[in-house]
Each structure stands twice: as structure tokens, then as C-alpha cells.
Amino acid sequence: MDRARLCLAPVVLVGLGTLFISLRWLWGKRKARPPTLWRKVGEIAEIFVFPVKSLGPVRLDETECTIVGCKSGWLRDRSLLVVDDGGRFVTARKCPKMVQIIPSVSSSILSLSAPGMRAISVDLSKVEKKMKVVIWGDTVPSNDCGEEVAKWLSRYVLERDSGVRLVYYPLDASSRTVSRVNKAFHPFDTSDLGVFTDETSYALMNQASVDDLNTKLEEPVDPLRFRLNFTVTGARAYEEDTWDWVKIGSVTFRNVRPCSRCLMTTISPETGEKHPKVEPLETLKKYRQPEDPVMKSLVGTSPSFGIHLGLKSSNGIVRVGDPVYVG
């Protein structure tokens, strides 16, 4: 009898293990499906697209949502990048005045303007010279935008005739890989990656959370300081932290990870200068750092503010005034 029980024990353990794995798989499949019931939490107040990483924004009334981010014709979110002569990406973290360069896109023509500079244009449809660029460890295929705009950028950003270039990403799907840190966030996957974004193809900020932050600051900031695509009004402060599925109009997204904030938040879009007291980052660190030890091991002391989204439906249009639902 004892021998029979000993023989039976491994079978039971294997069975329980198989059941556990099956239940986890089924739970994952269930969680992967969008909900059927939705609750309205607010509406879209602002839409921002940043055609060139680290440069100024384009404010839109509506945008097409695609797998690699916001799009309106040739205007695509962070589909252009400033790189150094070695093909490594350059951002406003190192060169803060980059945020004062204002892009605009008309048909296939990208135009750039900046204080003290004559505007310059480049036809993206004629940009064909291939080159490889490196961003966050990924080597990404790109098209070089030419010598004229390279000299223009170098003069404004570096105050010399060379040193940086502008590149354009010509493909309709991301060439990036999921970073080690982002792999720890379920359900983050390759479909959530944008072109030259730091994390994902979409990000959302809650106006009420910004309002609450401003009660703690000497100098208030607005949502643009955080360079996210969508600003939602009507929700409670920090309610977005708990959202899982998010539907804007008829377009469905999923919250795939919090936005970890960095020195970019300290750069004024108006002056192109970093805040002398490193605000609002220092204030955010006082009450928005992760408490979970696993999360803290991933992001360190970076506070979270806003959420990263991945597109989980077919392409669709999001407009200012669209209702925002959560499931």
C-alpha cells in the first residue's frame, strides 16, 4: 500500500503541475481578449505628434492610429531621428535646445524652423540614401535626409557646420526589439514598439494627474512637458495607473507599462533650457517612485507618470473630444 502511494505521488504532482500550467495559459488567453463591457472615464483634450524625436510637437485635431504610432499622411510620430556622425541617436537630454525646433509636414514636405534660423525643408518622398542608425542598442534601417538639413541642424544644435544628421524611417512596421526591462512588463510585446520611441508607439497623460502635480510645484507645467500623444480630461488623478484596456472612440489600446520619467521632463519647451532645480522630476521622485521591489529593480529611482499604450485593434481615427473608456 505504501509502495503504491509512493508510485502515485509523482503522477499526482505531474497532474497538478499540468493543471496549473493549463490554468495559467487559459488565464493569459482570457486576459488577452478585449473586454465586452466598458466604462467611460473622460475624453481626449489634446493630441500631440512628434515627427522628429526630441524636437517640438505638432498639435492635431485627429490622427490615424497605426501599429507604429500616430499618423496623418506623411506625418508620423517619431519617424525621424537626429544622429551623430557615427549613426548614434542624439536627443534633447544632451542638447536641450532641440525642443525649440518646430517641425511641420505638408504632403511629403518636412519643414523645420528654429529661433534665429531661416526655415528649411526636405522632401521625404525623395530621401533614398540608405544608412544604419543605432537607438537603445537596436540597429535600425533609415534613409539619410541629406547634407543641407544636416548642416542646418548642426549649426543650430552644435553651433558648427557638421556633427549631426537627420534620418527618416521608411517602413510601416517596427524594426526594434523588446528591451530586457520591457520584457518584464506583461503584456509588452514587439507589436507595441514604435519607430524611434523610447518605449512604445503610444502614450497617454491624465490632465488631473498633472493638476495634482502642479499643487506641489513652484512653477506649474502642462501635459506637453511630458511629450505624450494623448491628454485625457475627466478622469480622477492617477486613475490611469490602474487602467488595463483603454478604448478611445472606436480604437482599442492596452496599458502595457507605466511611463518612467527622465531628464526630458526638466526641459522647458518654451526656452529649451533645463530647470535649475531639476523640476518637476525631483518632485515626482518624492511620491511617484515604484514601491514594488521588482519594479524598483527594473527602473531604479525613475518616477512613473503617464502610461504607455499598445494598439490592440485595427487602424482607426482618434479625434479631440472622443470619449475614453476603460475595461
Side-chain angles (χ1 to χ4, degrees):
M1 184 70 175
D2 290 341
R3 182 176 295 176
R5 286 175 180 173
L6 286 172
C7 293
L8 184 62
V11 176
V12 172
L13 288 174
V14 169
L16 288 173
T18 303
L19 177 62
F20 175 72
I21 292 169
S22 299
L23 288 173
R24 283 196 63 181
W25 181 84
L26 288 170
W27 175 254
K29 294 289 285 184
R30 188 185 75 83
K31 292 288 284 182
R33 297 193 188 102
T36 55
L37 297 176
W38 298 91
R39 172 175 61 91
K40 183 179 177 182
V41 293
E43 63 182 34
I44 294 298
E46 296 172 312
I47 300 172
F48 294 112
V49 178
F50 300 85
V52 188
K53 186 178 180 68
S54 270
L55 271 55
V58 174
R59 187 188 295 261
L60 297 178
D61 291 326
E62 65 176 50
T63 184
E64 180 185 0
C65 296
T66 74
I67 196 66
V68 289
C70 294
K71 178 179 182 292
S72 180
W74 281 83
L75 172 65
R76 297 191 301 164
D77 191 57
R78 295 170 173 92
S79 61
L80 292 116
L81 183 69
V82 178
V83 299
D84 64 17
D85 288 337
R88 295 173 293 269
F89 77 114
V90 177
T91 73
R93 296 178 186 91
K94 182 179 179 181
C95 305
K97 63 192 299 186
M98 288 174 66
V99 302
Q100 288 198 288
I101 303 175
I102 303 301
S104 63
V105 177
S106 177
S107 185
S108 63
I109 307 299
L110 167 75
S111 298
L112 302 177
S113 61
M117 300 286 288
R118 181 176 295 179
I120 191 170
S121 298
V122 58
D123 189 341
L124 299 178
S125 69
K126 297 179 179 179
V127 171
E128 297 178 347
K129 182 181 177 182
K130 308 295 184 185
M131 68 178 294
K132 299 285 188 179
V133 301
V134 179
I135 176 167
W136 296 123
D138 286 327
T139 300
V140 180
S142 302
N143 292 349
D144 185 270
C145 291
E147 295 299 330
E148 189 177 0
V149 71
K151 179 181 275 191
W152 189 95
L153 281 167
S154 297
R155 284 179 174 173
Y156 183 73
V157 175
L158 304 177
E159 298 181 359
R160 58 176 191 259
D161 286 343
S162 64
V164 295
R165 308 188 67 80
L166 184 67
V167 300
Y168 173 69
Y169 185 77
L171 307 179
D172 293 326
S174 178
S175 300
R176 305 280 298 281
T177 58
V178 179
S179 69
R180 179 189 64 82
V181 170
N182 284 335
K183 284 179 180 178
F185 290 94
H186 178 77
F188 200 116
D189 61 41
T190 52
S191 67
D192 302 322
L193 296 167
V195 178
F196 293 129
T197 52
D198 282 351
E199 305 294 352
T200 65
S201 46
Y202 295 93
L204 177 147
M205 177 56 67
N206 180 0
Q207 179 67 59
S209 301
V210 179
D211 293 342
D212 182 75
L213 168 64
N214 283 333
T215 66
K216 303 169 175 59
L217 298 175
E218 294 179 4
E219 301 173 25
V221 296
D222 60 28
L224 179 58
R225 178 66 69 97
F226 303 98
R227 301 179 66 85
L228 304 189
N229 300 118
F230 305 126
T231 304
V232 60
T233 56
R236 300 188 307 275
Y238 309 111
E239 180 183 355
E240 67 276 16
D241 294 345
T242 65
W243 296 348
D244 185 5
W245 293 87
V246 179
K247 185 165 71 170
I248 304 175
S250 61
V251 185
T252 303
F253 303 87
R254 196 167 189 189
N255 178 358
V256 294
R257 64 156 292 173
C259 289
S260 297
R261 310 315 317 195
C262 67
L263 286 174
M264 284 293 296
T265 62
T266 70
I267 303 170
S268 167
E270 291 78 26
T271 67
E273 297 177 349
K274 291 182 180 178
H275 195 282
K277 296 182 180 179
V278 200
E279 292 290 9
L281 189 61
E282 286 301 308
T283 294
L284 285 170
K285 285 182 177 180
K286 294 176 182 176
Y287 74 108
R288 293 291 298 174
Q289 284 193 35
E291 296 179 0
D292 179 74
V294 175
M295 180 78 73
K296 200 152 196 169
S297 71
L298 295 171
V299 302
T301 61
S302 298
S304 63
F305 202 56
I307 56 175
H308 283 293
L309 304 174
L311 181 67
K312 301 302 176 184
S313 66
S314 57
N315 291 6
I317 303 296
V318 166
R319 299 176 176 86
V320 170
D322 272 354
V324 178
Y325 305 93
V326 299

